């Protein structure tokens, strides 16, 4: 079925991005994988071509267009370029709504221009060594003392953890109040007592700086709180998680499509027993199944993107998109690797890197099991 998500302006933007990725990103990504980090300069270059903060108002340097189709174009081009280490999806799709929708005028002026230009790199720190799926178990505290919060605790697995200048930190301002005691604070680079730990060594996403963060009596001004009142943090997180999960689903489908395409090409050319391996019935059946499922996933995710634009994407819809497409991505890439034979296990073949990069997709942003819990609860059983 024909895909009809994008209009002419999205396709024009796609062309610009494709050229940018080919010039500024793809040739350098191997080196960034070795370095374990993406240089800040490329963030600024991406900012110059309008890559960040589409929904940010023009008065703060953005385009003022709230249309997740642009986010999707960006993600798809990143995947196409094999640039899995860029934390741009996290910046654009996950953190952006916190900084655009929960900030007051003073905060917008302070943070948004840098967010758009790529000079202020963002992160969000929910997960702790003892609390991942169960966010209510967060132990980081932020206790009010006059016009500051005193922040203490530890976070782990934080995307953009080393590069980040602005970190949205989930903390308990009232540790005895459960979810209602949770507040979001923006911690800025250089605040005393804010330290970064290890840049963690991962199975995949090698160029991504995923790190530990430590807060030791960090005095965070009250002006850095997101939202008018303390205790709104859990609700704010629940509100924004559907967009985060959709963003992961967009990656999943784009990655599955890309690997399927390269595998078709491989099967057209690789010879065994005197013919192309694509001529074997098994190969055709495997590819037929994967092509069918990926196309179905594509249409569901595109529909979710439009629902998000209309502010109608429910938590349950996003959970369905997240678990099903990411499990599909893992399956598609694994089967495609098999069709590459031994070459699929060699890092010089992109399917090998895609296989390593894909594994985390069913884990972060809420695991498959948690997504099924969310959906199951909605079924009235
Ligand atoms: C590369 C990477 C980047 C990340 N980036 C970020 C980031 O930027 N910011 C951030 O805050 N976090 C980030 N995370 C953390 C990620 O969101 C968590 O790892 C994830 O939510 C799972 O939490 P956990 O690791 O503590 O696993 P746990 O919660 O300990 O889960 C372990 C297992 O138990 C299962 N389980 C848990 N609860 C239930 C239940 N109720 N029912 C059934 N099964 C259950 C899980 O599904 C899983 O299989 C990142 C993680 C990785 C690996």
């Amino acid at each position: 079925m024909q895909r009809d998500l994008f209009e002419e302006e999205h396709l024009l933007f796609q062309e610009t991005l494709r050229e940018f990725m080919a010039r500024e990103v793809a040739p350098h990504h191997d080196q960034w994988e070795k370095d374990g980090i993406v240089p800040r300069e490329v963030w600024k270059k991406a900012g110059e071509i309008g890559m960040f903060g589409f929904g940010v108002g023009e008065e703060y340097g953005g385009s003022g267009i709230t249309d997740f189709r642009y986010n999707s174009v960006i993600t798809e081009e990143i995947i196409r370029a094999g640039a899995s280490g860029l934390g741009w999806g996290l910046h654009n799709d996950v953190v952006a709504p916190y900084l655009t929708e929960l900030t007051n005028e003073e905060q917008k002026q302070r943070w948004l221009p840098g967010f758009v230009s790529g000079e202020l790199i963002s992160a969000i720190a929910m997960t702790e060594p003892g609390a991942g799926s169960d966010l209510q178990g967060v132990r980081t505290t932020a206790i009010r003392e006059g016009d500051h919060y005193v922040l203490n605790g530890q976070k782990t697995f934080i995307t953009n953890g080393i590069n980040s200048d602005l970190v949205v930190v989930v903390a308990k301002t009232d540790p005895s109040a459960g979810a209602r005691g949770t507040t979001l604070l923006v911690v800025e680079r250089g605040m005393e007592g804010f330290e970064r730990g290890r840049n963690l060594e991962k199975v995949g996403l090698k160029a991504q700086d995923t790190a530990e963060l430590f807060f030791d009596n960090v005095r965070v001004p009250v002006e850095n709180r997101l939202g008018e009142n303390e205790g709104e943090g859990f609700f704010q997180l629940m509100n924004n998680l559907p967009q985060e999960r959709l963003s992961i689903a967009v990656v999943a489908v784009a990655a599955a499509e890309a690997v399927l395409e390269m595998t078709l090409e491989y099967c057209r050319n690789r010879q065994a027993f005197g013919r192309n391996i694509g001529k074997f019935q098994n190969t055709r059946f495997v590819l037929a199944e994967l092509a069918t499922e990926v196309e179905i996933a594509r249409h569901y995710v595109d529909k979710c993107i439009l629902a998000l634009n209309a502010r109608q994407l429910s938590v349950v819809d996003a959970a369905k998109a997240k678990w099903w497409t990411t499990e599909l991505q893992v399956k598609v890439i694994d089967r495609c690797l098999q069709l590459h034979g031994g070459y699929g296990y060699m890092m010089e073949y992109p399917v090998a890197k895609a296989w390593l990069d894909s594994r985390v997709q069913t884990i972060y942003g809420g695991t498959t099991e948690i997504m099924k819990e969310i959906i199951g609860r909605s079924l009235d059983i």
Side-chain angles (χ1 to χ4, degrees):
M1 283 163 79
Q2 188 71 26
R3 189 180 185 198
D4 58 2
L5 182 72
F6 297 138
E7 290 170 36
E8 203 181 326
E9 57 268 29
H10 303 103
L11 298 175
L12 281 173
F13 185 54
Q14 184 182 58
E15 250 176 60
T16 309
L17 287 188
R18 198 163 290 181
E19 188 274 323
F20 177 84
M21 299 302 288
R23 182 167 36 89
E24 300 291 348
V25 173
H28 311 292
H29 200 267
D30 279 355
Q31 184 57 46
W32 301 341
E33 298 226 331
K34 291 189 187 107
D35 299 341
I37 196 160
V38 171
R40 297 178 65 88
E41 293 68 51
V42 73
W43 281 77
K44 287 188 211 147
K45 286 182 184 167
E48 280 164 20
I49 65 155
M51 188 91 91
F52 302 131
F54 252 88
V56 171
E58 284 174 297
E59 62 275 39
Y60 312 108
S63 68
I65 303 169
T66 310
D67 177 354
F68 203 74
R69 287 177 293 180
Y70 285 104
N71 299 52
S72 181
V73 170
I74 294 170
T75 301
E76 289 173 29
E77 290 312 306
I78 288 173
I79 298 294
R80 201 187 152 85
S84 58
L86 302 171
W88 297 351
L90 190 281
H91 186 73
N92 256 342
D93 302 355
V94 181
V95 182
Y98 292 90
L99 297 184
T100 54
E101 289 174 22
L102 301 175
T103 40
N104 58 35
E105 185 53 36
E106 183 276 323
Q107 292 171 327
K108 284 183 178 28
Q109 288 185 15
R110 211 157 23 115
W111 296 324
L112 292 181
F115 181 91
V116 171
S117 69
E119 275 153 306
L120 290 182
I121 296 174
S122 68
I124 181 160
M126 307 179 222
T127 307
E128 300 182 358
S133 301
D134 180 12
L135 276 180
Q136 296 201 33
V138 160
R139 289 170 65 178
T140 296
T141 54
I143 305 303
R144 180 113 181 218
E145 273 185 16
D147 54 3
H148 284 75
Y149 290 98
V150 179
L151 183 69
N152 278 292
Q154 178 181 348
K155 300 286 178 180
T156 193
F157 305 152
I158 305 308
T159 301
N160 297 338
I162 300 291
N163 266 337
S164 54
D165 305 286
L166 301 176
V167 186
V168 176
V169 176
V170 179
K172 291 272 173 76
T173 37
D174 182 353
S176 63
R180 280 198 296 274
T182 305
T183 301
L184 307 184
L185 299 176
V186 176
V187 173
E188 297 180 58
R189 175 181 286 282
M191 283 184 172
E192 210 178 321
F194 169 30
E195 300 289 342
R196 295 159 212 260
R198 288 175 299 152
N199 186 357
L200 299 162
E201 199 175 328
K202 303 183 295 298
V203 168
L205 308 183
K206 294 284 191 187
Q208 166 49 223
D209 53 313
T210 310
E212 300 169 315
L213 305 178
F214 298 96
F215 309 103
D216 180 15
N217 286 319
V218 183
R219 291 182 68 78
V220 183
V222 171
E223 297 87 69
N224 281 26
R225 183 182 67 216
L226 292 181
E228 281 197 13
N229 304 300
E230 276 176 21
E232 294 174 350
F234 206 75
F235 173 75
Q236 292 161 340
L237 288 170
M238 293 307 118
N239 230 8
N240 283 322
L241 280 170
Q243 178 162 325
E244 172 171 355
R245 290 173 182 154
L246 176 58
S247 166
I248 295 170
V250 170
V251 170
V253 178
E257 285 173 343
V259 170
L260 191 57
E261 203 178 300
M262 67 180 75
T263 305
L264 288 169
E265 192 53 27
Y266 186 82
C267 293
R268 284 183 197 115
N269 297 312
R270 176 74 182 168
Q271 298 273 319
F273 297 96
R275 55 173 109 164
N276 297 339
I277 60 169
K279 297 286 181 216
F280 298 125
Q281 190 189 50
N282 176 69
T283 307
R284 288 206 310 274
F285 277 16
V286 168
L287 291 170
E289 284 173 20
L290 300 182
T292 306
E293 287 177 276
V294 170
E295 193 171 334
I296 290 169
R298 159 59 59 217
H299 291 292
Y300 184 77
V301 166
D302 281 359
K303 189 118 174 78
C304 286
I305 291 170
L306 295 176
L308 183 81
N309 278 354
R311 294 193 169 257
Q312 282 173 353
L313 182 73
S314 74
V315 171
V316 172
D317 292 340
K320 288 175 181 170
K322 203 270 171 184
W323 88 261
W324 196 74
T325 60
T326 56
E327 293 288 344
L328 178 67
Q329 176 192 2
V330 169
K331 178 175 86 174
V332 168
I333 297 176
D334 190 70
R335 301 267 163 89
C336 286
L337 187 150
Q338 182 73 17
L339 290 175
H340 280 73
Y343 295 95
Y345 201 64
M346 299 298 132
M347 288 309 291
E348 64 200 84
Y349 279 75
V351 68
K353 185 169 106 66
W355 189 67
L356 294 169
D357 289 340
S358 70
R359 191 58 191 87
V360 72
Q361 285 269 96
T362 62
I363 297 170
Y364 59 15
T367 63
T368 292
E369 294 74 25
I370 295 298
M371 296 305 98
K372 289 181 182 173
E373 276 296 326
I374 292 171
I375 299 159
R377 279 199 295 270
S378 76
L379 298 177
D380 199 21
I381 39 177

